[in-house]
């Protein structure tokens, strides 16, 4: 019997024709815990996956993305971000256990959801948002790279990161006014390529837009991203 990676309850796998004829992918999370993950559905911003409603939009974009796109320094670099779940308290705690407390195995929880969404996406190269050497030593692994590895995506290192204070400690305005934090490596691989960035959380979009700008300026044709949470 498999056990849920989150609550450790035993999980019985239902006997179906699919499981009999083909090895079904083992679930890593029970139905109860999966039910606490709030999927992003309905009408969303075409750029960042934020659910739209009320006056929080301009056309197909949320107000945040409208502001980014009007900014001459940052507009036009990130084509689209796909996020899977709302960043509710349950997911916040789950990602904290995974990302900050080193529970690497929890990445398995998200693999089926990522695979399902990636089937409809087209790209030439995949890269993970890099950590600075200091942050990598502190955490022991790169959370985006771990997700890519478990999903079976071959990634290419295209960026290095300058060490800065943790993004989570910065205000929204401070994040949006940060100088470029990425440098491109292996730029010859980027020429006219569509790049997919994989990361864990889309907050203000600053990190992803910094990465996208660096990649586009180095020759990439298009940059999109996929994240667990928005």
């Amino acid at each position: 019997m498999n056990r849920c990676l989150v609550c450790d309850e035993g999980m019985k796998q239902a006997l179906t024709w699919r499981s009999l004829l083909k090895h079904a992918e083992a679930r890593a999370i029970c139905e109860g815990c999966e039910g606490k993950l709030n999927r992003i559905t309905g009408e969303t911003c075409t750029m960042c996956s934020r659910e739209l409603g009320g006056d929080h939009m301009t056309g197909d974009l949320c107000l945040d993305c409208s502001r980014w796109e009007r900014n001459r320094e940052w507009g036009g670099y990130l084509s689209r971000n796909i996020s899977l779940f709302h960043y509710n308290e349950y997911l916040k705690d789950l990602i904290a256990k995974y990302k900050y407390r080193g529970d690497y195995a929890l990445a398995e929880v998200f693999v089926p959801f990522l695979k399902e969404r990636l089937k409809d996406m087209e790209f030439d190269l995949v890269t993970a948002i890099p950590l600075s050497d200091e942050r990598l030593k502190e955490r022991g692994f790169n959370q985006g790279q771990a997700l890519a590895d478990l999903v079976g995506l071959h990634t290419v290192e295209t960026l290095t990161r300058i060490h800065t204070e943790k993004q989570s400690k910065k205000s929204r305005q401070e994040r949006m006014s940060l100088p470029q934090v990425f440098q491109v490596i292996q730029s010859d691989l980027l020429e006219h390529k569509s790049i997919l960035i994989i990361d864990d959380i889309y907050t203000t979009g600053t990190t992803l837009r910094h990465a996208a700008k660096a990649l586009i300026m180095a020759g990439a044709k298009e940059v999109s991203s996929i994240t667990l949470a928005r």
Side-chain angles (χ1 to χ4, degrees), residues 171-190:
S171 70
R172 177 184 189 79
Q173 192 54 46
E174 285 173 334
R175 292 190 196 196
M176 295 185 82
S177 58
L178 282 171
Q180 178 58 274
V181 295
F182 296 110
Q183 293 177 329
V184 173
I185 54 177
Q186 303 194 83
S187 58
D188 55 311
L189 299 178
L190 303 175

Side-chain angles (χ1 to χ4, degrees), residues 2 10 14 21 38 50 83 113 122 143 212 216 218:
N2 293 331
L21 298 172
N38 188 1
R50 178 180 181 176
S83 293
F113 303 104
E122 295 183 4
Q143 68 275 6
I216 293 288

Side-chain angles (χ1 to χ4, degrees), residues 55-164:
D55 58 355
H56 300 299
M57 61 184 291
T58 304
D60 293 329
L61 300 181
C62 68
L63 294 181
D64 284 348
C65 288
S66 295
R67 282 194 286 264
W68 276 115
E69 290 306 292
R70 290 197 302 267
N71 186 309
R72 277 186 289 177
E73 187 176 354
W74 297 107
Y77 293 109
L78 182 67
S79 295
R80 190 179 186 193
N81 169 71
I82 300 292
S83 293
L84 306 182
F85 305 104
H86 291 283
Y87 195 42
N88 59 15
E89 287 301 314
Y90 179 75
L91 184 54
K92 187 175 183 179
D93 184 55
L94 207 57
I95 289 178
K97 286 176 181 173
Y98 166 55
K99 183 173 174 179
Y100 300 118
R101 293 171 230 162
D103 198 344
Y104 184 96
L106 283 175
E108 292 277 7
V109 167
F110 305 110
V111 168
F113 303 104
L114 284 167
K115 283 185 173 179
E116 177 190 335
R117 199 63 182 85
L118 284 162
K119 284 190 299 187
D120 302 322
M121 300 181 73
E122 295 183 4
F123 43 85
D124 299 314
L125 292 177
V126 183
T127 195
I129 288 289
L131 302 179
S132 66
D133 291 341
E134 291 89 341
R135 196 74 71 225
L136 186 59
K137 182 182 283 189
E138 178 184 306
R139 288 188 195 160
F141 69 101
N142 178 317
Q143 68 275 6
Q145 183 64 55
L147 290 168
D149 291 343
L150 288 171
V151 170
L153 292 172
H154 172 69
T155 60
V156 177
E157 271 191 77
T158 59
L159 298 166
T160 58
R161 186 175 192 147
I162 301 162
H163 183 66
T164 58

